[in-house]
Amino acid sequence: MQNESETKEQIAADLAAAKRRIAELEKSLKVPRLCEEGEGCSILNTQVGFFRAWRDGTAFLHVNEKLCEITGYTSVEMQKIPMSMIWPNQAQRAKILGDLGDWRQVSNCEVEFLTKSGERRTCLVAMCIAPFSQAFEGSVVDITNRKEAEEQLAIQNRITSIFLLFQTDEMFNKVLDVVLEVTRSPLGAFGFIDGKGDLIVPSIVKRGD
């Protein structure tokens, strides 16, 4: 009887361990969702911004802390303001939401968000239609710093190639063309290129009393 009892206990323990393992596997295979139906936001601590919004793109329903960090708004504020305040490019917004309606999901959309302080942040957005609801869900990754670094590197490479490909008497005009394009100034800019190839443009400010 003792051996039979021990066997039953071992079987029960094995079944419990198997159930726990199945639950862990199901959890790992489940696609992360911002919010479950009828529940509050479930993804709070993450390096990616998440949101749920009305399918017509008029307003946010739920946002996580990372998206609040990117935009500078609190979650309560974001639920009270129209989406157009954060995503002001109406034509781009209409195009992407139209594609979302046609394909039910979009990814790697580069958009420009406007923060509460008026700063523009470049973000990669992916969205999908939320099942059984009139809403869609999206993820947001802030790539502003990466974009700025890429642009600076591209400018340095262009100037470096001028030094390598053109004679001294041609270099000035070629570099000036790049400077005018980068600064968007028809009058040019006063500055110099240092030993690292960086464009240095000193600024003049009035000293306070």
Side-chain angles (χ1 to χ4, degrees):
M1 293 294 292
Q2 184 176 358
N3 290 337
E4 183 178 351
S5 176
E6 291 177 352
T7 301
K8 289 181 178 180
E9 290 178 359
Q10 183 62 45
I11 293 174
D14 291 343
L15 285 173
K19 288 181 179 179
R20 287 195 299 270
R21 180 57 179 161
I22 291 172
E24 291 174 357
L25 288 172
E26 289 178 343
K27 185 177 181 180
S28 66
L29 292 173
K30 185 178 180 182
V31 177
R33 292 281 306 283
L34 172 63
C35 304
E36 299 295 344
E37 296 298 332
E39 298 181 0
C41 292
S42 58
I43 300 179
L44 297 176
N45 299 316
T46 177
Q47 294 303 308
V48 178
F50 282 91
F51 66 88
R52 173 177 282 191
W54 288 119
R55 193 175 293 190
D56 59 7
T58 54
F60 292 101
L61 296 173
H62 299 287
V63 296
N64 74 339
E65 292 180 5
K66 183 61 179 181
L67 188 56
C68 292
E69 178 185 324
I70 293 172
T71 62
Y73 290 94
T74 66
S75 59
V76 174
E77 290 173 333
M78 290 190 69
Q79 292 174 40
K80 291 181 178 180
I81 62 177
M83 183 181 287
S84 57
M85 285 188 64
I86 295 173
W87 190 358
N89 190 327
Q90 181 178 355
Q92 182 190 62
R93 190 172 67 254
K95 172 66 168 59
I96 293 177
L97 292 181
D99 292 342
L100 179 63
D102 293 338
W103 302 102
R104 301 193 65 80
Q105 64 179 12
V106 294
S107 60
N108 293 324
C109 300
E110 187 173 308
V111 304
E112 194 173 70
F113 279 0
L114 191 65
T115 68
K116 185 177 182 179
S117 63
E119 181 184 5
R120 296 185 180 275
R121 307 294 297 180
T122 304
C123 300
L124 279 183
V125 175
M127 297 181 292
C128 65
I129 299 294
F132 311 112
S133 74
Q134 293 299 312
F136 66 89
E137 297 174 345
S139 62
V140 180
V141 178
D142 188 350
I143 61 169
T144 305
N145 295 336
R146 190 187 82 187
K147 288 282 292 184
E148 291 177 351
E150 290 174 350
E151 291 172 357
Q152 290 297 322
L153 181 60
I155 294 169
Q156 291 179 9
N157 289 339
R158 289 177 64 185
I159 293 176
T160 300
S161 66
I162 291 173
F163 290 154
L164 296 175
L165 299 175
F166 294 94
Q167 300 294 329
T168 304
D169 56 348
E170 298 179 279
M171 285 183 187
F172 178 79
N173 288 333
K174 295 294 183 181
V175 172
L176 181 59
D177 289 340
V178 176
V179 172
L180 293 178
E181 179 184 336
V182 171
T183 60
R184 297 181 177 87
S185 170
L187 303 177
F190 175 79
F192 62 93
I193 299 172
D194 66 11
K196 297 180 181 179
D198 295 330
L199 175 63
I200 308 300
V201 181
S203 62
I204 302 175
V205 295
K206 184 178 180 181
R207 180 179 296 177
D209 297 332

